[in-house]
Structures are given as C-alpha cells and as structure tokens.
Amino acid sequence: MRTFSRPLLFIITLLFFGSACRTFVVKDVNYAQSVESVLVPTSKGEVYDPRYALSFNILPFQYQEYKDSSKVTIEEVRLIRNEEGYYFITANGFSNVYVMEPIKSGLKLKKKIEVSEEGLVAPAFNMRAPFVQLIDVETSKTFNLTEKGIQSREDRS
Amino acid sequence: MKNIIATIVVILITTVTVFAQQSDYKIKKEFENRASDLKIAISESKNVKDIDSLLLAIDDLALDFKLHSELLDFGLYPESYQSSIASLKENARAAEYKLLIIENQAERLSLLSSQVSSYKTEIAILTQKGDSLRKEIMASQASEERLAKLVKEYRKSVEQRDDFIFGMIDSLFITYQSLGNEELRELARQENESGVVSENPLYLLSTVIKQNIESLKAESNALFIEDYLRNYVLQKKIENAWKQIGDDLILVYGNNSNLNWKALINEDLKTWKTSVSYSMWASLDDYMEGQGVDIGAFDDNESFFSALDDFITTSINESDENILTSTTYDDFLSFSEFWKSKVLDEWNHYLVQGELLTVNQIASIDTKVDDWREHSKPVPGALIILFGVGFVALVGFVVALVKK
C-alpha cells in the first residue's frame, strides 16, 4: 500500500496545479491606448510602433481596401487599441476601419466597419472610453466605435 | 471692458472648439513641435534678452496645453506635461547662466580688442623708430659720442617694444586661458556671425614674430647681450602662450581667413627661436671673452651649464697647485665680477625665465665660486718670510743641538 501512495500523491498534486494553471485568468485588464499611434510604412509595407513594440505589414489592409498590394500607397497608418484589447486600424483614403483581434503571431479581423463611401480624408482616432472615436478632421465627421461597429455618429460640417 | 471680456471668451471658446475638432495625436504633436522649437531657440539664443522672451513663451506653452495635461502625460511617456515644461525652463536657465558668463567675457574681449589695437599702433611706432635708428647707426659717420647716443636710443626703443609685446601676451593669455570650450565655441560663432571685424590677435602675433625675425636678420651690432637675452625670453614666452591658447585664438579668430594659422605661426616661431638662440649664445660668448672669462664652447643651456661647471672645477684644482702665485686669484676675480654683477644680478631674471640656467644650477655654481675663492687666495708674502725665518731658526737650533 505504501508503495503506491507516493506516485498517487504526485499525480494528485500535478492535476491540482495543472488545472489551476489552466484557469488562472486576470479579469478587468484595460488595454486602452490613450493616444493613437501614427506609423509610416517602409517600402515593403512594414510598420513598427516603438512605444508599444508592435509590428506588422500594412499591405494586406491595402489589398482589402484597393485590391492592390503590388506597392505601398499608404502614407500613414493610424492605429489605436481599445479597452478590450482590439486594434482599430485605418489610413487616409480608407473607407473602413479594421477592428483586429490579436492572435498568436497575428491579427485576426473581428469587424470591418465602413465609415465613408468616398474614403477618409484625414482620419484620426481618439480614446473616448468606452468608445474609440474616429474623426475626419477635414470633413468634421465623428464616429464613436466599438469592436461591434458604429455606436453613434456626428456630422459637424 | 465688456468688449475685452467678450473677446477673451470668444478666444477661449474657439480654442476649446478647435481642440475638440482635433485629434489627440495632433495635440500631442503640436505640443512636441512647439517644445522642440523652443528648445532649438534656447540653444541658438545669443543674449540674455532672448532667453527672457523664451521663458515667457514657455509659460504660454504651458498655459495653452494645460487643459490637455492628462492626455500629454500619457502621450509623452516617459516624459509628462509637467516634466517637459520643467525641462524647457531648466534648459532656458542653464542657457541664461552661460550667456551671462559669455556676455561678461565678451566685454572683457572687447576691452582686450581695443588694448590689442593700441599695442598694435605702439609696436608699429616703436618698430619704425627702431628701424630708422638702426639704419642711422649703420650709415653713421658721426663721432663716437654721437654714435653711442644713437645706440643707446635704439636699444631703449627695442626694450620698449619688447615690453609692449610682453604686456600684450599677458593680456591675451589671461583672457583666453579663463575661457571654457563651450564659451570659446560661442564666441567663435558670434565672431563669425557678427560680421564686425574685431582686432585680430592672430595677425598681430604673426606680425610681431615676423618683425623680430627681420630685426635679428638685419644685424646692426648695436644690440647687447641683454637685448638678445630679453628677446630670447620673449620668444619663449610667446611660444609657451601659443601652445596654451593658440588653438583657442584660431577657434575664435581663424575662421574668417584661408590662412593655416597654426602651421604659419608654428613655422615662424621656429625660425625666430633658431635665429635668436644663435645670436644670444654668440653674444654671450663674445661678452665673456671680452671680460677675460673663457669657459670653452657652448651653444645651448646644457652645454652652457657644463662649461661653467667644468671651468670652475678645473680652476679650483689649478688654484690648489699654484698656492704661491696670484695668477689663479686674478682669474677668480674676473669670473667673480662677471658672475655677481651679471648672472646673479642683471641677467638672473632672463636666465631663469629663458631656462638658460635653473635656480638650482645657479645655486650650485655659486657654491663652487665660493670654494674657488678659498682655494685661489694667494698666501701673503709676510707669511712666507715668517715661515722661512722660522724654518732657518729651526734648522739652526737642530744644528746647535747636534754640535753640543
């Protein structure tokens, strides 16, 4: 009986800690970025945010917008992260804001929000928790966004 | 009054509205740009007045963005709104302190510039006077008395000119040695930007060196050993000062010219040194020979000391061998007269400053001179007679004793 007691104890301990690790979750994390990041792509479309140590390629977004990723046409990429941790990405000329969910070594589209048929002229994100505010400085159009889509809009033009 | 209040309210509302329409990023960027512009303006400011205006501009910046301080605290991380404003004010105060020192130095330099200008005029007058006197001496058919008068006048004018140059070098040295690298760079910038051509000490230094080379070339036989010694010391002083402040002078005054000041002045100093060394050692040798003191060959400070030392050691030994004659004592008297009146008295200052003899070397020779005096003193004649009489008496006494 004594011969089996030690391995049994070991297995019980392992199961206990193993299950504890799987369920170890910290709630109410706020991922919100207070000020948007404005990133300039390289000739290969790479953008890098030194403050938040994030890098990705913008060409897939360009392809989504213009169906063309042969060369980089985007001058500046605007990016902000909301409280839930979703990235909101857009650029001059884009008609949409891309809500991206971070996954292992990637960004997965959560929602594509159409904000302008003719394309944004001078977009900018502001953090107005719980919303991400998108403004087009040129047209004075304002949108309050979440990862689910447009929550409200305002046209001050 | 109502109108003013209304205007202020309108401005405030407009400002809030403008900011409300802007992106947070743009507000952050605007703050960063204005802060950066102020930082550049501080670093480029030329006087304390500029800094005072910039301090007011920093206050304006702080006020304009106070409403967004929280946003800026996040946006400017690891800096913050407060730390950015504090950093700008600190920069402004540091620049103000630096400019206060520079303005003070600039005043001193301005004073020096006018001093250099007066030195320049004075040196030119004295050089001209010296040149004409030298020419007159060379061409003179006048009586010996008149010629001696001319030589005296010429030597006096050369001495006055040298004294002015000593003064000028001291002024330059004191002014520039106290300046730090940053202050010198700032002065150079101001000198280049002002467009005002201030008295350039580099030109004056170069002229002085060239004039001395020319004077030595135009040998007139009117100069004495004291004149050459003084000129040797002057060359050494200018050379030492040049080593220490030459780069600073070039930094401040050398940029407006294509001349390679460093190479030019270094080369001229070298020529001057060779020329004055040759004349000074030859003149010293001639003088000693004229005084009946022949210490052998020498042509630099080391060989001069060795010659003096060997001469006295040999003389002491010779004196021991000739105690009954006064020949070596006469040699001693000639040397002692030269040593005391010239080396210890008249030339001491030049010999030490020109590093021809060190203080220790002079003391060592002086001790040996005292030794020489003791060894060279001839035995008095009466003492010899007394010694002879005593000797004869002793012999007589011994003979008498033997006979008995």
Side-chain angles (χ1 to χ4, degrees):
Chain A
M1 187 65 191
R2 269 183 86 114
T3 329
F4 292 105
S5 63
R6 279 196 174 195
L8 191 65
L9 189 67
F10 175 74
I11 290 164
I12 290 167
T13 312
L14 196 70
L15 283 171
F16 175 77
F17 279 109
S19 60
C21 284
R22 270 205 307 277
T23 56
F24 181 68
V25 174
V26 179
K27 294 277 185 187
D28 298 327
V29 175
N30 184 352
Y31 289 100
Q33 211 175 299
S34 299
V35 181
E36 67 175 335
S37 299
V38 180
L39 312 171
V40 178
T42 64
S43 57
K44 289 179 180 170
E46 295 289 336
V47 288
Y48 174 61
D49 184 353
R51 176 158 177 184
Y52 297 100
L54 173 75
S55 69
F56 60 92
N57 198 301
I58 195 64
L59 285 173
F61 293 91
Q62 187 180 302
Y63 186 79
Q64 284 283 324
E65 282 290 313
Y66 308 123
K67 302 295 173 212
D68 178 13
S69 58
S70 56
K71 63 170 185 175
V72 180
T73 55
I74 298 164
E75 286 174 7
E76 279 180 340
V77 178
R78 308 190 89 94
L79 172 149
I80 198 165
R81 201 174 187 191
N82 73 354
E83 288 180 326
E84 283 73 28
Y86 293 104
Y87 287 103
F88 291 67
I89 298 168
T90 194
N92 296 36
F94 276 23
S95 300
N96 303 289
V97 169
Y98 294 87
V99 182
M100 307 301 291
E101 182 184 359
I103 55 167
K104 192 177 177 185
S105 300
L107 291 169
K108 185 181 162 192
L109 183 68
K110 169 81 177 171
K111 180 92 181 166
K112 186 174 170 181
I113 308 169
E114 189 179 347
V115 285
S116 164
E117 275 181 26
E118 58 279 7
L120 294 161
V121 184
F125 287 124
N126 292 327
M127 177 50 64
R128 299 288 182 263
F131 305 113
V132 165
Q133 184 188 56
L134 170 73
I135 56 169
D136 191 330
V137 180
E138 287 295 316
T139 60
S140 297
K141 284 180 182 165
T142 308
F143 304 87
N144 283 330
L145 311 173
T146 65
E147 68 274 14
K148 288 169 187 152
I150 299 170
Q151 301 303 311
S152 62
R153 68 176 78 201
E154 203 177 328
D155 190 346
R156 291 181 185 169
S157 58
Chain B
M1 185 69 183
K2 270 187 177 177
N3 279 343
I4 295 169
I5 292 169
T7 313
I8 292 169
V9 170
V10 168
I11 289 169
L12 279 174
I13 290 168
T14 314
T15 311
V16 171
T17 313
V18 167
F19 279 136
Q21 294 292 329
Q22 281 185 358
S23 79
D24 293 348
Y25 176 79
K26 200 172 176 187
I27 294 169
K28 181 191 94 147
K29 209 69 198 160
E30 267 181 24
F31 180 86
E32 282 177 336
N33 290 344
R34 276 178 66 181
S36 169
D37 288 348
L38 282 169
K39 208 170 175 182
I40 292 167
I42 289 167
S43 69
E44 288 178 351
S45 54
K46 290 171 190 164
N47 52 54
V48 178
K49 232 177 176 180
D50 288 351
I51 296 286
D52 290 342
S53 317
L54 288 169
L55 277 165
L56 290 174
I58 295 169
D59 287 341
D60 285 347
L61 176 75
L63 202 65
D64 289 350
F65 286 87
K66 199 172 179 181
L67 278 173
H68 306 285
S69 60
E70 206 178 326
L71 165 74
L72 291 170
D73 286 346
F74 286 111
L76 301 171
Y77 181 85
E79 282 198 60
S80 68
Y81 163 78
Q82 284 291 355
S83 75
S84 300
I85 297 292
S87 165
L88 280 172
K89 285 190 173 175
E90 199 181 308
N91 281 356
R93 291 202 182 98
E96 188 176 40
Y97 177 72
K98 186 185 81 181
L99 286 167
L100 273 171
I101 294 172
I102 289 169
E103 277 177 19
N104 183 30
Q105 293 290 1
E107 274 174 34
R108 282 174 60 190
L109 282 176
S110 160
L111 185 70
L112 177 75
S113 184
S114 59
Q115 272 180 348
V116 167
S117 178
S118 71
Y119 283 133
K120 190 178 158 186
T121 316
E122 204 66 45
I123 290 167
I125 293 168
L126 288 166
T127 305
Q128 204 179 3
K129 190 179 165 189
D131 284 349
S132 61
L133 278 168
R134 194 181 62 237
K135 280 174 194 159
E136 202 177 335
I137 290 164
M138 289 174 86
S140 179
Q141 301 291 323
S143 67
E144 207 169 302
E145 194 184 343
R146 165 88 182 122
L147 199 63
K149 201 181 165 194
L150 280 174
V151 168
K152 199 176 168 186
E153 261 184 69
Y154 173 59
R155 289 188 61 212
K156 199 176 170 189
S157 78
V158 171
E159 190 178 350
Q160 276 179 336
R161 190 201 62 180
D162 288 354
D163 285 346
F164 269 106
I165 299 169
F166 274 118
M168 182 191 78
I169 294 300
D170 283 340
S171 303
L172 282 175
F173 192 73
I174 289 164
T175 307
Y176 284 92
Q177 208 195 22
S178 62
L179 294 174
N181 285 341
E182 207 181 333
E183 291 161 346
L184 282 164
R185 275 197 294 276
E186 184 61 27
L187 283 169
R189 190 172 67 81
Q190 288 179 6
E191 185 72 20
N192 286 334
E193 284 176 7
S194 70
V196 180
V197 182
S198 59
E199 202 58 65
N200 189 340
L202 288 169
Y203 276 109
L204 188 58
L205 262 180
S206 178
T207 311
V208 160
I209 296 168
K210 282 187 195 306
Q211 279 172 353
N212 274 282
I213 296 169
E214 289 307 310
S215 306
L216 287 163
K217 261 189 204 165
E219 180 66 61
S220 67
N221 290 330
L223 294 181
F224 290 16
I225 173 64
E226 289 84 355
D227 304 315
Y228 290 117
L229 278 171
R230 192 180 55 251
N231 200 254
Y232 183 87
V233 172
L234 183 62
Q235 191 281 338
K236 203 163 190 72
K237 185 169 180 141
I238 292 181
E239 193 173 38
N240 287 341
W242 178 248
K243 274 180 197 162
Q244 292 186 56
I245 62 166
D247 287 340
D248 298 344
L249 290 177
I250 290 170
L251 183 68
V252 178
Y253 298 102
N255 293 332
N256 290 329
S257 160
N258 294 324
L259 290 172
N260 183 352
W261 283 108
K262 196 164 192 169
L264 188 78
I265 292 186
N266 279 343
E267 190 58 37
D268 283 349
L269 276 169
K270 210 170 152 187
T271 311
W272 184 10
K273 189 177 187 172
T274 310
S275 180
V276 73
S277 294
Y278 175 79
S279 301
M280 189 273 296
W281 291 118
S283 172
L284 184 60
D285 194 32
D286 288 348
Y287 178 83
M288 290 175 81
E289 264 186 46
Q291 297 299 303
V293 180
D294 184 8
I295 65 166
F298 56 85
D299 58 4
D300 60 24
N301 47 359
E302 274 180 35
S303 59
F304 181 51
F305 174 71
S306 295
L308 278 172
D309 196 57
D310 291 349
F311 172 74
I312 297 170
T313 308
T314 311
S315 299
I316 291 171
N317 293 336
E318 279 177 9
S319 298
D320 286 341
E321 288 163 12
N322 300 297
I323 53 165
L324 298 181
T325 65
S326 61
T327 327
T328 56
Y329 189 62
D330 291 341
D331 291 343
F332 164 76
L333 287 177
S334 300
F335 184 83
S336 177
E337 173 61 20
F338 157 74
W339 181 255
K340 285 209 169 106
S341 67
K342 295 295 174 185
V343 176
L344 296 184
D345 190 11
E346 279 181 44
W347 302 348
N348 189 278
H349 173 69
Y350 296 136
L351 291 171
V352 174
Q353 278 212 330
E355 293 169 20
L356 299 168
L357 286 176
T358 65
V359 174
N360 287 341
Q361 284 174 333
I362 291 174
S364 148
I365 299 284
D366 200 41
T367 309
K368 286 196 172 181
V369 171
D370 287 341
D371 276 358
W372 186 12
R373 184 210 315 277
E374 295 308 317
H375 287 81
S376 66
K377 263 186 188 168
V379 181
L383 196 67
I384 295 168
I385 294 165
L386 199 65
F387 180 77
V389 170
F391 183 73
V392 170
L394 186 69
V395 170
F397 180 68
V398 171
V399 170
L401 273 179
V402 170
K403 276 189 177 174
K404 244 185 181 180

